[in-house]
Amino acid sequence: MNARRGGSGVPGERRKQRVSMADVAKLAGVSSQTVSRVSNGHPGVIDSTREQVLAAMRELGYRPNSAARALRYGRFNTIGVILFSLASTGNSRTVEAIATHAAAEGYAITLIPIDVPTQDNVLGAFTRMGELAVDAVIVIIEIHLLDAGTVTLPPGAHVVVVDSDAGDRYSVVDTDQADGARLAVHHLLELGHRTVWHVTGPRTSFAGERRALAWRATLEAAGRPVPAPLHGDWSAESGYAAGLALADEPECTAVFVSNDQMALGVLRAFHERGRAVPGDVSVVGFDDIPDAAFFVPPLTTVHQDFAEVGKRCVRRVLRQIRENRLAQPGTDLVPTRLVVRSSTAAPGK
């Protein structure tokens, strides 16, 4: 028996050949244009036909050629995400939200973490993004780099920045950090506490700095004394160390902690030192992580809408892509809200 041209001559071996859109169309009994519409997620295909085409794709092992599609339509349907760390709650939940909303728009994400956020590393990440063929980039770098001008982004790129004070140069989406801190401090003052102590985030963090500045400004505006802040690094361990120090402050009856993980450490320290929460000390966190409602006691905290941040980021980059224009500088702030639980009360209650 003669071997088929291009085959190995081994009986029963199928010739390895790229399956074409025409092959799928023939098997499904539809036009190539219908296969194209299904491949590109076009809504104008009835469900029964779509399933018929998808079944043919599965049977033949057909995968749409994204490179060819990009050449035809000028898009790769991929958004790059550059970030410094996935360890923090804010970053991980923001990435999750970006991925969810991008998928709903028919886009995938390509993630490139940066170990040390320097100018060279950021530019290197953009170079890698270019090699991986993305349509736009979302940058999540919360430390003070874009703010201070140490890092600049390549001109002409479709970019949205998250959690930064660089709205004078870039399109920025962020939680309203300052208003969230004001809500926390006002809540404690309205309960009757004379002042509010503070456990900050890392000194390099934009979000941590904005919360600390708002904490101080709110106390000063109310004519209250401003205690020396204690510095943490977002971890429960650093919150625990700060809590041990605060437990030795007899005047401390209220604490605003810059994130929920550190607040968890503060709660443990107070428990070990016999300082009842909220009987002796009230505690407010920031983030409203899912576990916060199950702390002992359940934690009063500032809710961040990470899903909305991700949605607005995706909406902004897609507008740039679809209109083929660069974003105008400016900051889009997502509101926060206070979630009151059992870790706060009037002094002595």
Side-chain angles (χ1 to χ4, degrees), residues 254-307:
V255 185
F256 166 46
V257 188
S258 199
N259 80 333
D260 291 348
Q261 286 298 118
M262 292 193 298
L264 177 61
V266 169
L267 291 175
R268 176 179 173 179
F270 285 158
H271 173 74
E272 290 183 356
R273 291 297 178 87
R275 299 290 301 275
V277 178
D280 298 321
V281 187
S282 288
V283 177
V284 178
F286 203 110
D287 283 340
D288 193 24
I289 63 175
D291 294 341
F294 300 94
F295 288 2
V296 181
L299 183 67
T300 295
T301 184
V302 176
H303 178 81
Q304 290 201 74
D305 193 343
F306 296 108

Side-chain angles (χ1 to χ4, degrees), residues 28-278:
V30 298
S31 68
S32 294
Q33 289 83 355
T34 299
V35 176
S36 176
R37 286 195 291 270
V38 172
S39 297
N40 290 286
H42 195 283
V45 181
I46 64 175
D47 291 342
S48 58
T49 300
R50 185 184 304 277
E51 182 52 42
Q52 191 174 335
V53 171
L54 292 173
M57 288 180 177
R58 288 191 294 268
E59 181 175 340
L60 295 174
Y62 173 77
R63 293 186 179 183
N65 189 327
S66 59
R69 185 172 56 199
L71 288 173
R72 181 176 180 182
Y73 297 103
R75 296 177 190 168
F76 294 95
N77 280 38
T78 302
I79 298 170
V81 179
I82 297 173
L83 78 164
F84 171 47
S85 171
L86 267 174
S88 72
T89 297
N91 285 359
S92 61
R93 293 181 67 185
T94 300
V95 169
E96 179 184 13
I98 289 170
T100 298
H101 290 290
E105 294 285 348
Y107 278 72
I109 68 166
T110 295
L111 186 65
I112 293 189
I114 298 176
D115 292 334
V116 180
T118 63
Q119 175 72 59
D120 287 345
N121 284 348
V122 171
L123 289 178
F126 266 88
T127 299
R128 290 180 63 192
M129 285 293 181
E131 294 170 350
L132 293 170
V134 301
D135 301 302
V137 176
I138 297 173
V139 183
I140 307 174
I141 301 181
E142 68 158 341
I143 68 174
H144 287 288
L145 285 177
L146 293 176
D147 316 351
T150 305
V151 167
T152 55
L153 304 181
H158 296 314
V159 178
V160 170
V161 180
V162 183
D163 197 6
S164 172
D165 194 21
D168 58 330
R169 287 173 289 148
Y170 305 108
S171 176
V172 175
V173 177
D174 189 25
T175 296
D176 194 339
Q177 312 289 349
D179 191 57
R182 284 191 291 268
L183 290 172
V185 177
H186 277 308
H187 171 66
L188 292 166
L189 295 181
E190 289 170 356
L191 286 172
H193 295 278
R194 178 171 173 266
T195 190
V196 178
W197 297 66
H198 184 41
V199 180
T200 76
R203 297 174 189 269
T204 56
S205 167
F206 164 75
E209 181 191 59
R210 286 298 177 268
R211 295 168 197 176
L213 288 173
W215 157 77
R216 179 180 296 275
T218 304
L219 289 179
E220 290 175 345
R224 306 299 177 89
V226 181
L230 291 85
H231 298 283
D233 62 8
W234 298 136
S235 70
E237 182 180 3
S238 69
Y240 176 72
L244 292 177
L246 290 172
D248 294 332
E249 295 284 350
E251 299 299 318
C252 176
T253 66
V255 185
F256 166 46
V257 188
S258 199
N259 80 333
D260 291 348
Q261 286 298 118
M262 292 193 298
L264 177 61
V266 169
L267 291 175
R268 176 179 173 179
F270 285 158
H271 173 74
E272 290 183 356
R273 291 297 178 87
R275 299 290 301 275
V277 178

